Amino acid sequence: MATHAEITAKVEDYKQSQKYEKTFDLVRSFVAEAGKADSFTIPLTNEGPFVQESYNIRVSQNSTVQSDPDDPSTKKNFCAVKLKFKSQAAGNSQSSDFVPVQLIATPCHDDFPRYGARPFFYVYPKGDALIIDYDNRAPESINGEIYDMKAETVDICFNGKIYPLND
């Protein structure tokens, strides 16, 4: 069992280390409009560089796909949103193309089990901005599928560390 003095020292150590490194969640929700590709920008903190370690994404499933054009019972809800993340300062993308949200999201939909955050490391300099491009247009029909695209809500949480620059 730790003594009061040991616990007090531990808390003081944590307070000191937080001046140089602290955990931070960058949380945003947005609506990916139906039939549209667009982007938005999230300004990052001016406190210091942000080291992104992982993220979680949850999306709605308002759109539908009917796999057999002659059978309405084959209609099911789905989400076709694709994402691409970019650093404004570096001007580069963090993927070669748009990535379907089902491939990178945890838990993805409310009816999916939760698997935890997806590791995804990236360093943003102090004052940078994260640009999220999205595409919520219907996929190309391969076998006569019928798509009915709707607006989808995307909740995303980037987790990492801020390194405050205490000049």
Side-chain angles (χ1 to χ4, degrees):
M1 186 124 218
T3 67
H4 184 269
E6 290 170 331
I7 292 172
T8 302
K10 187 175 186 177
V11 169
E12 289 304 315
D13 285 346
Y14 285 146
K15 284 182 184 177
Q16 184 64 26
S17 66
Q18 254 184 198
K19 293 179 183 178
Y20 305 103
E21 175 186 80
K22 61 185 178 180
T23 302
F24 187 75
D25 288 331
L26 180 65
V27 182
R28 289 293 185 271
S29 292
F30 68 95
V31 174
E33 297 179 42
K36 189 173 180 181
D38 203 354
S39 67
F40 69 96
T41 302
I42 303 171
L44 299 175
T45 180
N46 279 320
E47 192 174 359
F50 175 60
V51 177
Q52 175 185 299
E53 296 172 343
S54 63
Y55 61 77
N56 275 321
I57 302 173
R58 182 178 65 196
V59 293
S60 60
Q61 296 182 88
N62 299 325
S63 302
T64 59
V65 58
Q66 184 173 325
S67 57
D68 181 347
D70 300 322
D71 184 359
S73 70
T74 64
K75 187 182 218 178
K76 65 178 184 174
N77 288 67
F78 85 117
C79 178
V81 173
K82 296 172 280 306
L83 300 173
K84 188 187 316 184
F85 308 129
K86 296 189 286 192
S87 162
Q88 186 174 38
N92 62 358
S93 181
Q94 297 166 20
S95 62
S96 61
D97 203 350
F98 283 93
V99 181
V101 74
Q102 294 93 336
L103 295 178
I104 60 173
T106 61
C108 196
H109 310 293
D110 285 337
D111 56 349
F112 280 20
R114 183 164 185 78
Y115 292 110
R118 177 179 186 253
F120 198 77
F121 184 83
Y122 193 84
V123 178
Y124 295 92
K126 175 182 175 178
D128 195 3
L130 169 61
I131 301 169
I132 298 179
D133 294 331
Y134 73 84
D135 187 343
N136 191 20
R137 296 177 287 191
E140 187 175 323
S141 180
I142 297 173
N143 295 311
E145 302 92 354
I146 299 171
Y147 294 99
D148 183 18
M149 303 307 292
K150 303 289 184 196
E152 302 290 354
T153 301
V154 179
D155 299 319
I156 191 164
C157 176
F158 296 90
N159 178 266
K161 301 266 194 286
I162 292 178
Y163 293 91
L165 301 176
N166 296 315
D167 305 319

